[in-house]
Amino acid sequence: MASHASFLASLVAIISAVCLGRAQAQPSFRPDGLVLPVRKDAATQQYVTVINQRTPSAAVRLVVHLGGQFLWVDCDANYVSSTYRPVRCRSAQCSLAGSAACGDCYDGPRPGCNNNTCGVFPDNPFITTSTSGELAQDAVAVPSTDGSNPGRLATVPQFIFSCAPTFLLRGLAAGATGLAGLGRARIGVPSLFSAAFSFRRKFAVCLSSSTSSDGVIFFGDGPYVFLPGIDVTPSLFTPLYINPVSTAGASTQGEPSTEYFIRINAIRINNKPISINTSLLTIDAAGDGGTKISTVNQYTLLETSIYTALTTAYIREAAAWNITRVAGVAPFDVCFSSANVGSTRVGPAVPSIDLVLQGQNSPVWTIFGSNSMVAVNDDVLCLGFLDGGSNPRTAIVIGAFQFENNLLQFDLAASRLGFTSTLFFRQTTCANFNFTSNV
Ligand SMILES: *[C@@H]1O[C@H](CO)[C@@H](O)[C@H](O)[C@H]1NC(C)=O
Ligand SMILES: *[C@@H]1O[C@H](CO)[C@@H](O)[C@H](O)[C@H]1NC(C)=O
Ligand SMILES: *[C@@H]1O[C@H](CO)[C@@H](O)[C@H](O)[C@H]1NC(C)=O
Ligand SMILES: *[C@@H]1O[C@H](CO)[C@@H](O)[C@H](O)[C@H]1NC(C)=O
């Protein structure tokens, strides 16, 4: 009896796996990589991308959440599609999502409201709110790329995402109707694209500092070519770490975080190490400590003792360069007169900040003026780092301002991050991808 039941269960699992495999093996054609534009929203400083979803196809604007678990969209308003399919309870897609939840809905059927559907927890980290949502599939189309230009649209007929109610859009950039989770979950956007087109589980993010031109997100391997013909594929690498404890708004016990953690071993200001309580730099068994990279925070957050050590050293080094400290301008405490500050190819001529990372030969991510100084007005530059409090979950959260005009490549298969430091040294920027189609 027991063996009969488990035989049936495994048969169902095999059939579902075959069906899932077939569904994912019917893309329109097989590109080597995909490319999406991403633009900073002036009002919220969030980074917004656009994909084509549904039948007939609609352009859907999504806020990028680097460590987010999956893609979710508002299905309550204006979701019209002939190819929408809810994901059933106990299906292969539901187990890919790591979900054991099963839901009914009495007010449908319609997208986001069906019986016997797999339940997940869409999360809006900008307002720290999560809710329950119906897991679903629908067609998604994005441009392929050869690394230099966008090409033909590549379609995934049954891309997995979650529906969310309209209220979850609160706090998102105007016009955005959901969130693109680029985290390391099996149903994260990078893993779904890789599975659909059989390319390596890799993606790269290059955010522009401009609110009027597009940066770029690549899925798949390089080259990553920016005008005038410069391949910025990274040559420095550091391991990615898995935080064993979820950092999402809602999670089940034992679920690891889908965010991207790295290990900073030391921080130097103008080449001089600052003193840090090193136990903050590793992730402990409770999931606390360590360093993550986030597009939810605009500016890097440092645990209070690290913040104090960094800003003290920075103020001292700046004084030695005759850079005058002035009153803080919220949210920044550490600001300087721009009067004595020269300008260079890599931004204001200010003391450099080195993040000394884990890995072979201790790779160094150097932050120059363009990624450390925020020009709050014509006369004042502020150090773009904030005090994250004395007992934060994660000791260091590297915010998006610190990696604008840097290319970061997340290799999920090899569990490593490739990074370039500022592209200004390479005579290009993240706004220099040639978005003119070459087909
Ligand atoms: C779900 O099932 C219940 C009970 O059979 C039914 O009343 C309801 O209309 C169904 N809802 C949907 C969305 O099909
Ligand atoms: C270093 O940080 C750990 C973890 O927060 C803390 O338990 C310990 O007391 C700190 N040590 C010092 C010397 O502050
Ligand atoms: C800073 O100012 C002092 C006094 O004006 C001057 O002697 C020194 O050379 C300056 N240092 C730098 C690095 O500009
Ligand atoms: C951008 O790409 C298009 C299509 O390949 C090409 O015609 C155009 O010359 C490129 N632009 C620049 C500035 O190189």
Side-chain angles (χ1 to χ4, degrees), residues 113-182:
C113 182
N114 292 281
N115 278 342
N116 184 29
T117 55
C118 181
V120 291
F121 297 99
D123 182 17
N124 179 341
F126 296 94
I127 53 167
T128 57
T129 300
S130 306
T131 185
S132 58
E134 170 171 299
L135 199 65
Q137 293 177 287
D138 207 339
V140 160
V142 299
S144 60
T145 186
D146 58 2
S148 298
N149 294 86
R152 292 172 58 187
L153 278 184
T155 299
V156 185
Q158 298 188 321
F159 195 89
I160 300 173
F161 68 103
S162 167
C163 280
T166 305
F167 78 79
L168 203 61
L169 300 178
R170 201 156 45 82
L172 298 187
T177 55
L179 195 135
L182 305 184

XYZ file of all heavy atoms in Angstrom, residues 113-182:
491
model
N -6.590 34.582 -8.908
C -7.664 34.054 -8.059
C -8.254 32.792 -8.673
O -9.191 32.859 -9.462
C -8.738 35.117 -7.862
S -10.090 34.598 -6.789
N -7.640 31.660 -8.335
C -8.119 30.375 -8.831
C -8.056 29.353 -7.706
O -7.341 29.538 -6.727
C -7.241 29.906 -10.005
C -7.421 30.790 -11.236
O -8.390 30.649 -11.970
N -6.492 31.719 -11.433
N -8.807 28.278 -7.847
C -8.787 27.208 -6.852
C -7.610 26.282 -7.085
O -7.096 26.175 -8.195
C -10.093 26.397 -6.931
C -11.213 27.089 -6.162
O -10.958 27.958 -5.317
N -12.446 26.679 -6.452
N -7.220 25.587 -6.011
C -6.206 24.534 -6.114
C -4.900 25.073 -6.707
O -4.322 24.497 -7.602
C -6.769 23.391 -6.975
C -5.814 22.216 -7.060
O -5.031 21.972 -6.143
N -5.867 21.500 -8.166
N -4.463 26.239 -6.218
C -3.229 26.810 -6.758
C -2.130 26.837 -5.716
O -2.369 26.932 -4.521
C -3.430 28.246 -7.268
O -3.968 29.029 -6.231
C -4.311 28.281 -8.486
N -0.913 26.800 -6.249
C 0.311 26.831 -5.447
C 0.479 28.248 -4.873
O 0.385 29.229 -5.608
C 1.464 26.491 -6.379
S 3.070 26.447 -5.599
N 0.731 28.337 -3.579
C 0.844 29.652 -2.942
C 2.276 30.014 -2.607
O 3.062 29.161 -2.170
N 2.632 31.263 -2.855
C 3.957 31.788 -2.466
C 3.756 33.141 -1.780
O 2.612 33.597 -1.622
C 4.912 31.917 -3.681
C 5.313 30.549 -4.206
C 4.304 32.769 -4.784
N 4.875 33.774 -1.388
C 4.778 35.017 -0.622
C 5.499 36.161 -1.323
O 6.665 36.424 -1.049
C 5.339 34.819 0.789
C 4.548 33.815 1.581
C 4.999 32.505 1.697
C 3.337 34.174 2.159
C 4.257 31.566 2.405
C 2.589 33.240 2.870
C 3.048 31.932 2.990
N 4.835 36.855 -2.246
C 5.465 38.022 -2.855
C 5.782 39.069 -1.788
O 5.027 39.232 -0.826
C 4.423 38.518 -3.859
C 3.129 37.914 -3.448
C 3.471 36.630 -2.756
N 6.915 39.732 -1.997
C 7.528 40.556 -0.962
C 7.859 41.920 -1.579
O 8.409 41.975 -2.673
C 8.814 39.795 -0.567
C 9.599 40.435 0.542
O 9.039 41.282 1.256
O 10.792 40.077 0.689
N 7.483 42.988 -0.893
C 7.925 44.327 -1.307
C 8.869 44.866 -0.239
O 8.426 45.371 0.790
C 6.723 45.259 -1.494
C 7.152 46.656 -1.903
O 8.320 47.032 -1.716
N 6.237 47.437 -2.458
N 10.193 44.751 -0.474
C 11.157 45.128 0.566
C 11.214 46.647 0.771
O 11.714 47.096 1.793
C 12.483 44.594 0.026
C 12.312 44.606 -1.455
C 10.854 44.280 -1.698
N 10.688 47.432 -0.166
C 10.746 48.892 -0.033
C 9.781 49.380 1.048
O 9.967 50.452 1.610
C 10.458 49.572 -1.374
C 11.499 49.248 -2.415
C 11.315 48.200 -3.307
C 12.691 49.968 -2.482
C 12.287 47.877 -4.249
C 13.662 49.653 -3.418
C 13.459 48.605 -4.308
N 8.743 48.581 1.298
C 7.817 48.927 2.382
C 7.759 47.793 3.406
O 6.852 47.739 4.237
C 6.395 49.247 1.846
C 5.869 48.108 0.959
C 6.382 50.572 1.089
C 4.369 48.195 0.645
N 8.753 46.888 3.327
C 8.807 45.690 4.172
C 7.418 45.065 4.394
O 6.953 44.908 5.522
C 9.499 45.957 5.529
O 8.814 47.013 6.188
C 10.960 46.345 5.346
N 6.804 44.710 3.276
C 5.487 44.082 3.328
C 5.472 42.843 2.431
O 5.980 42.868 1.312
C 4.409 45.078 2.836
O 4.434 46.213 3.686
C 3.022 44.460 2.862
N 4.896 41.761 2.963
C 4.725 40.538 2.178
C 3.269 40.130 2.255
O 2.572 40.475 3.204
C 5.545 39.388 2.757
O 6.870 39.768 2.876
N 2.849 39.358 1.273
C 1.486 38.848 1.323
C 1.492 37.490 0.644
O 2.546 36.987 0.263
C 0.509 39.849 0.651
O -0.818 39.377 0.827
C 0.796 40.018 -0.822
N 0.318 36.858 0.515
C 0.315 35.588 -0.198
C -0.148 35.831 -1.628
O -0.908 36.770 -1.902
C -0.592 34.579 0.504
O -1.892 35.101 0.584
N 0.357 35.018 -2.523
C 0.017 35.195 -3.928
C -0.071 33.857 -4.634
O 0.486 32.855 -4.181
N -0.773 33.869 -5.739
C -0.941 32.667 -6.556
C 0.254 32.530 -7.490
O 0.588 33.477 -8.215
C -2.242 32.845 -7.355
C -2.515 31.839 -8.441
C -3.935 32.003 -9.014
O -4.910 31.853 -8.257
O -4.061 32.308 -10.213
N 0.884 31.363 -7.488
C 1.961 31.127 -8.448
C 1.311 30.871 -9.814
O 0.269 30.220 -9.896
C 2.812 29.934 -8.016
C 4.200 29.829 -8.649
C 5.101 30.987 -8.223
C 4.872 28.502 -8.297
N 1.918 31.404 -10.864
C 1.296 31.331 -12.183
C 2.373 31.227 -13.257
O 3.570 31.332 -12.975
C 0.436 32.580 -12.419
N 1.907 30.995 -14.485
C 2.810 30.986 -15.631
C 2.173 31.779 -16.757
O 0.950 31.747 -16.936
C 3.058 29.555 -16.119
C 3.830 28.714 -15.131
C 3.983 27.282 -15.615
O 3.034 26.514 -15.606
N 5.184 26.937 -16.047
N 3.014 32.490 -17.490
C 2.528 33.181 -18.681
C 3.726 33.440 -19.590
O 4.884 33.290 -19.173
C 1.817 34.495 -18.295
C 0.757 34.902 -19.339
O 0.832 34.429 -20.498
O -0.128 35.700 -18.983
N 3.438 33.823 -20.812
C 4.505 34.062 -21.777
C 5.274 35.331 -21.416
O 4.678 36.344 -21.059
C 3.906 34.209 -23.172
N 6.603 35.243 -21.511
C 7.473 36.402 -21.315
C 8.413 36.456 -22.507
O 8.944 35.438 -22.945
C 8.268 36.271 -19.990
C 9.497 37.169 -19.977
C 7.371 36.597 -18.789
N 8.583 37.671 -23.060
C 9.505 37.831 -24.188
C 10.493 38.946 -23.870
O 10.092 40.018 -23.411
C 8.736 38.170 -25.462
N 11.770 38.669 -24.088
C 12.803 39.701 -23.891
C 13.797 39.621 -25.049
O 13.941 38.570 -25.684
C 13.550 39.543 -22.542
C 12.607 39.664 -21.357
C 14.292 38.246 -22.462
N 14.483 40.718 -25.343
C 15.432 40.703 -26.460
C 16.636 39.808 -26.176
O 17.167 39.812 -25.069
C 15.877 42.168 -26.573
C 14.875 42.956 -25.794
C 14.355 42.043 -24.727
N 17.034 39.060 -27.184
C 18.287 38.314 -27.107
C 19.429 39.310 -27.320
O 19.196 40.482 -27.665
C 18.314 37.256 -28.204
O 18.218 37.890 -29.473
N 20.650 38.856 -27.108
C 21.791 39.736 -27.387
C 23.013 38.909 -27.754
O 23.158 37.762 -27.299
C 22.123 40.658 -26.196
O 23.144 41.584 -26.584
C 22.608 39.878 -24.973
N 23.885 39.523 -28.556
C 25.203 38.946 -28.835
C 26.243 39.611 -27.933
O 27.432 39.434 -28.108
C 25.561 39.153 -30.313
C 25.547 40.640 -30.711
O 25.301 41.509 -29.831
O 25.794 40.934 -31.898
N 25.776 40.418 -26.994
C 26.686 41.120 -26.096
C 26.928 42.559 -26.502
O 27.437 43.345 -25.707
N 26.546 42.903 -27.763
C 26.801 44.258 -28.263
C 25.537 45.057 -28.544
O 25.544 46.279 -28.446
C 27.606 44.207 -29.569
O 28.856 43.621 -29.347
N 24.471 44.352 -28.967
C 23.200 44.991 -29.321
C 22.071 44.055 -28.917
O 22.290 42.863 -28.788
C 23.080 45.193 -30.847
C 24.077 46.161 -31.417
O 25.193 45.766 -31.740
N 23.695 47.414 -31.562
N 20.851 44.568 -28.792
C 19.707 43.656 -28.683
C 19.442 43.019 -30.042
O 19.715 43.631 -31.083
C 18.533 44.572 -28.303
C 19.113 45.914 -28.062
C 20.435 45.984 -28.748
N 18.908 41.794 -30.017
C 18.551 41.108 -31.259
C 17.081 40.722 -31.234
O 16.262 41.431 -30.646
N 16.768 39.594 -31.843
C 15.373 39.105 -31.884
C 14.828 38.904 -30.478
O 15.570 38.586 -29.560
C 15.328 37.745 -32.585
C 15.628 37.763 -34.037
C 15.731 36.327 -34.561
N 14.502 35.561 -34.333
C 14.397 34.252 -34.569
N 15.420 33.564 -35.024
N 13.251 33.634 -34.358
N 13.503 39.022 -30.371
C 12.862 38.714 -29.096
C 12.896 37.208 -28.865
O 12.627 36.425 -29.777
C 11.395 39.159 -29.104
C 11.069 40.625 -28.821
C 9.549 40.791 -28.777
C 11.686 41.102 -27.512
N 13.226 36.816 -27.635
C 13.197 35.405 -27.251
C 12.027 35.217 -26.295
O 11.868 36.003 -25.356
C 14.509 35.022 -26.576
N 11.211 34.194 -26.545
C 10.002 33.998 -25.747
C 10.109 32.758 -24.875
O 10.535 31.704 -25.339
C 8.779 33.859 -26.682
O 8.656 35.059 -27.445
C 7.497 33.638 -25.890
N 9.747 32.913 -23.618
C 9.554 31.759 -22.730
C 8.045 31.613 -22.588
O 7.391 32.470 -21.995
C 10.206 31.983 -21.352
C 10.084 30.727 -20.501
C 11.661 32.408 -21.492
N 7.470 30.528 -23.144
C 6.004 30.442 -23.191
C 5.352 30.357 -21.811
O 4.244 30.834 -21.633
C 5.737 29.157 -23.984
C 7.031 28.787 -24.614
C 8.132 29.402 -23.817
N 6.050 29.728 -20.837
C 5.406 29.521 -19.534
C 6.327 29.950 -18.403
O 6.778 29.141 -17.596
C 5.013 28.052 -19.394
C 4.001 27.658 -20.479
C 3.438 26.280 -20.276
O 4.142 25.360 -19.892
N 2.155 26.128 -20.540
N 6.606 31.226 -18.375
C 7.514 31.791 -17.364
C 6.798 31.843 -16.012
O 5.671 32.331 -15.907
C 7.928 33.197 -17.807
C 9.106 33.749 -17.065
C 10.393 33.527 -17.524
C 8.926 34.492 -15.907
C 11.497 34.039 -16.843
C 10.016 35.005 -15.215
C 11.308 34.779 -15.686
N 7.472 31.346 -14.977
C 6.848 31.271 -13.644
C 6.979 32.610 -12.913
O 8.053 33.215 -12.893
C 7.505 30.156 -12.801
C 7.344 28.802 -13.496
C 6.922 30.122 -11.387
C 8.117 27.666 -12.829
N 5.876 33.064 -12.341
C 5.878 34.301 -11.545
C 4.769 34.206 -10.519
O 4.027 33.223 -10.489
C 5.675 35.530 -12.462
C 4.301 35.600 -13.076
C 3.345 36.485 -12.580
C 3.952 34.772 -14.131
C 2.067 36.539 -13.130
C 2.668 34.822 -14.681
C 1.736 35.706 -14.184
N 4.670 35.202 -9.674
C 3.592 35.224 -8.693
C 2.684 36.410 -8.969
O 3.135 37.476 -9.378
C 4.166 35.337 -7.279
O 3.137 35.651 -6.353
N 1.400 36.195 -8.727
C 0.461 37.313 -8.716
C 0.495 37.965 -7.344
O 0.774 37.308 -6.343
C -0.954 36.811 -8.982
S -1.269 36.530 -10.725
N 0.203 39.255 -7.327
C 0.121 39.972 -6.058
C -1.062 40.926 -6.140
O -1.462 41.330 -7.234
C 1.414 40.740 -5.801
N -1.611 41.293 -4.993
C -2.692 42.284 -4.992
C -2.129 43.687 -5.222
O -0.945 43.938 -4.974
C -3.286 42.153 -3.590
C -2.200 41.547 -2.757
C -1.310 40.759 -3.667
N -2.984 44.592 -5.680
C -2.552 45.939 -6.043
C -1.858 46.675 -4.892
O -0.905 47.418 -5.125
C -3.773 46.752 -6.537
O -4.383 46.029 -7.598
C -3.362 48.133 -7.041
N -2.285 46.418 -3.650
C -1.678 47.183 -2.547
C -0.187 46.932 -2.385
O 0.534 47.757 -1.826
C -2.416 46.942 -1.211
C -2.091 45.640 -0.533
C -0.920 45.492 0.196
C -2.964 44.565 -0.604
C -0.608 44.287 0.837
C -2.666 43.353 0.036
C -1.482 43.222 0.744
N 0.304 45.798 -2.905
C 1.737 45.502 -2.746
C 2.614 46.425 -3.602
O 3.827 46.466 -3.446
C 2.019 44.026 -3.066
C 3.293 43.436 -2.438
C 3.264 43.472 -0.920
C 3.554 42.024 -2.934
N 1.989 47.198 -4.500
C 2.756 48.135 -5.346
C 3.139 49.408 -4.582
O 3.937 50.208 -5.084
C 1.942 48.545 -6.576
C 1.521 47.419 -7.525
C 0.675 47.992 -8.652
C 2.750 46.707 -8.085
N 2.573 49.580 -3.403
C 2.846 50.801 -2.650
C 4.356 50.984 -2.469
O 5.080 50.038 -2.211
C 2.153 50.733 -1.277
C 1.927 52.068 -0.630
C 0.767 52.001 0.368
N 0.848 50.822 1.224
C 1.614 50.747 2.319
N 2.353 51.772 2.704
N 1.630 49.639 3.036
N 4.832 52.203 -2.650
C 6.259 52.488 -2.465
C 7.113 52.203 -3.685
O 8.298 52.493 -3.688
N 6.521 51.624 -4.743
C 7.306 51.371 -5.957
C 7.239 52.576 -6.897
O 6.293 53.365 -6.852
C 6.800 50.121 -6.684
C 6.896 48.789 -5.921
C 6.523 47.633 -6.854
C 8.295 48.568 -5.341
N 8.231 52.687 -7.755
C 8.311 53.773 -8.722
C 7.010 53.870 -9.528
O 6.377 52.851 -9.827
C 9.487 53.531 -9.665
N 6.613 55.087 -9.878
C 5.393 55.304 -10.653
C 5.450 54.487 -11.947
O 6.481 54.470 -12.624
C 5.250 56.781 -10.977
N 4.356 53.822 -12.254
C 4.285 53.054 -13.495
C 4.729 51.609 -13.331
O 4.459 50.783 -14.198
N 5.420 51.295 -12.228
C 5.853 49.904 -12.020
C 4.656 49.095 -11.536
O 3.894 49.547 -10.679
C 6.985 49.830 -11.014
N 4.474 47.895 -12.095
C 3.360 47.053 -11.664
C 3.860 45.741 -11.074
O 3.134 44.745 -11.047
C 2.373 46.781 -12.814
O 3.103 46.214 -13.908
C 1.686 48.055 -13.267
N 5.102 45.748 -10.607
C 5.613 44.551 -9.966
C 7.094 44.675 -9.717
O 7.670 45.770 -9.803
N 7.681 43.540 -9.418
C 9.077 43.519 -9.004
C 9.770 42.348 -9.694
O 9.200 41.258 -9.788
C 9.077 43.355 -7.475
C 10.343 43.632 -6.726
C 10.016 44.475 -5.511
C 10.924 42.325 -6.296
N 10.969 42.588 -10.189
C 11.749 41.539 -10.836
C 12.772 41.013 -9.841
O 13.743 41.702 -9.532
C 12.446 42.074 -12.085
N 12.559 39.825 -9.334
C 13.475 39.216 -8.367
C 14.596 38.495 -9.090
O 14.362 37.503 -9.771
N 15.825 39.018 -8.935
C 16.980 38.425 -9.617
C 17.783 37.540 -8.668
O 18.949 37.250 -8.902
C 17.883 39.525 -10.184
C 17.248 40.553 -11.108
C 18.317 41.504 -11.660
C 16.536 39.873 -12.275
